Amino acid sequence: MTVNHPTILALDFDGVICDGLLEYFEVAWRTYCQFCPSQEEIIPDDLALRFYRLRPVIETGWEMPILIKAIIDGFSDDQILQDWPKIVLEILKTSHLSSQEVGKKLDGLRDQWISTDLDGWLGLHRFYPGVIERLKVTIDSEVELFIVTTKEGRFVKQLLEQEGVNLPEKAIFGKEVKLPKYEILRKLIPATEHQPARLWFVEDRLKTLQLVQQQSDLDKVGLFLADWGYNTQSEREAGQNDPRIQLLPLSRFVQDFSKWLISSS
């Protein structure tokens, strides 16, 4: 194994492996209707398209029903893109809600959906072209593969198994771990004196990669921004201009690791 290969590969799930936009919108809408019972269950025109476009602001799943409320309450796309953290706090306060309450309701509705219509739930998830094959090749190699995500680990495991990808539970770090991703990355690096691990991390959220950058002990971690995921053009440009971050297109991700790196010269 050469230096242009990792020994450990950590992948985000949503926006890197799986495109769940259709399911996200449906479960977010169902959750929103639970908290706004006076709302007729008729989806407004263009709501889904705006939700898809604004999905990059979402950090964890419980924010998705809040995004729907922000759109319906009249916040513009520019406001949401620029001031999302502030808008989230404002909506939680005015609606007398907590993130825990919203998250519990969303996960409960998702569980109910899975138990009553598993095929329908699975059918709203689309894996990016070539990604499943790439995962299988990696699993069969000497590279250790981990999933590091803010999605519930049990949902990730179920979706991967449906595609014939069987990872042990210890290889999936989901929302239930309750740690920031940079802390999880620390746990993946073995404390060995010889042959130090080469950890590569692929994520579609620029802010998450920037948080890793701020950890001095993780300065050797290879950082890749998935340009096919839930990010904006300005975020992709920022990642491309960052000497520590590699902007990674899907066409290179599905190839051998030696194709991932491009010279900065």
Side-chain angles (χ1 to χ4, degrees):
M1 188 173 291
T2 59
V3 294
N4 59 352
H5 287 70
T7 57
I8 302 170
L9 179 64
L11 302 176
D12 180 30
F13 188 75
D14 296 319
V16 171
I17 296 173
C18 182
D19 180 5
L21 278 178
L22 298 176
E23 190 269 357
Y24 303 153
F25 178 76
E26 178 61 29
V27 75
W29 173 253
R30 295 184 188 188
T31 307
Y32 168 79
C33 290
Q34 291 286 312
F35 289 117
C36 301
S38 61
Q39 170 72 39
E40 294 184 13
E41 295 194 13
I42 300 173
I43 300 176
D45 292 342
D46 296 331
L47 178 62
L49 290 177
R50 288 187 64 193
F51 178 90
Y52 301 151
R53 186 163 60 244
L54 295 166
R55 172 59 179 80
V57 302
I58 300 296
E59 183 171 2
T60 53
W62 66 264
E63 298 174 37
M64 295 191 299
I66 306 301
L67 176 56
I68 286 182
K69 182 162 177 56
I71 295 170
I72 290 176
D73 285 356
F75 287 95
S76 70
D77 288 10
D78 284 344
Q79 285 176 305
I80 292 171
L81 288 169
Q82 296 297 324
D83 298 316
W84 178 240
K86 181 179 176 181
I87 290 171
V88 170
L89 292 176
E90 179 181 330
I91 289 177
L92 288 177
K93 183 177 180 181
T94 57
S95 302
H96 306 290
L97 294 170
S98 68
S99 59
Q100 293 82 5
E101 184 181 4
V102 177
K104 183 177 180 180
K105 176 64 69 175
L106 186 143
D107 286 344
L109 288 171
R110 183 175 267 153
D111 277 330
Q112 182 182 23
W113 186 1
I114 290 170
S115 66
T116 57
D117 182 21
L118 177 60
D119 289 340
W121 181 77
L122 290 169
L124 291 184
H125 294 81
R126 298 169 294 184
F127 287 86
Y128 295 104
V131 166
I132 291 299
E133 292 76 10
R134 190 71 187 89
L135 295 183
K136 291 178 179 178
V137 168
T138 304
I139 290 171
D140 290 339
S141 73
E142 296 179 359
V143 177
E144 289 187 85
L145 177 64
F146 295 92
I147 307 297
V148 180
T149 176
T150 55
K151 197 185 198 74
E152 285 276 357
R154 57 203 169 99
F155 298 139
V156 171
K157 189 169 178 60
Q158 196 154 17
L159 286 163
L160 289 175
E161 286 177 349
Q162 182 74 8
E163 298 295 321
V165 176
N166 297 296
L167 281 175
E169 288 186 13
K170 65 180 182 180
I172 301 174
F173 292 81
K175 183 177 73 174
E176 64 280 357
V177 177
K178 297 180 180 179
L179 287 174
K181 290 188 178 183
Y182 59 81
E183 289 285 6
I184 295 172
L185 294 181
R186 281 197 179 101
K187 292 178 175 293
L188 300 184
I189 301 174
T192 56
E193 295 182 7
H194 304 290
Q195 296 294 327
R198 292 186 297 277
L199 170 59
W200 288 8
F201 177 42
V202 183
E203 166 71 52
D204 70 321
R205 184 172 166 80
L206 179 63
K207 290 182 180 178
T208 301
L209 295 177
Q210 291 171 335
L211 282 173
V212 177
Q213 281 184 296
Q214 295 170 18
Q215 316 305 313
S216 59
D217 60 322
L218 299 179
D219 62 336
K220 301 298 184 184
V221 174
L223 302 178
F224 297 84
L225 179 65
D227 77 353
W228 64 93
Y230 309 137
N231 44 54
T232 64
Q233 180 62 33
S234 62
E235 288 170 336
R236 291 189 287 275
E237 290 174 358
Q240 192 167 28
N241 293 326
D242 189 319
R244 174 82 191 281
I245 295 173
Q246 289 272 349
L247 185 65
L248 183 66
L250 183 59
S251 60
R252 290 214 313 273
F253 175 84
V254 299
Q255 297 184 55
D256 185 81
F257 291 120
S258 61
K259 305 292 187 183
W260 287 25
L261 299 171
I262 56 175
S263 172
S264 58
S265 58

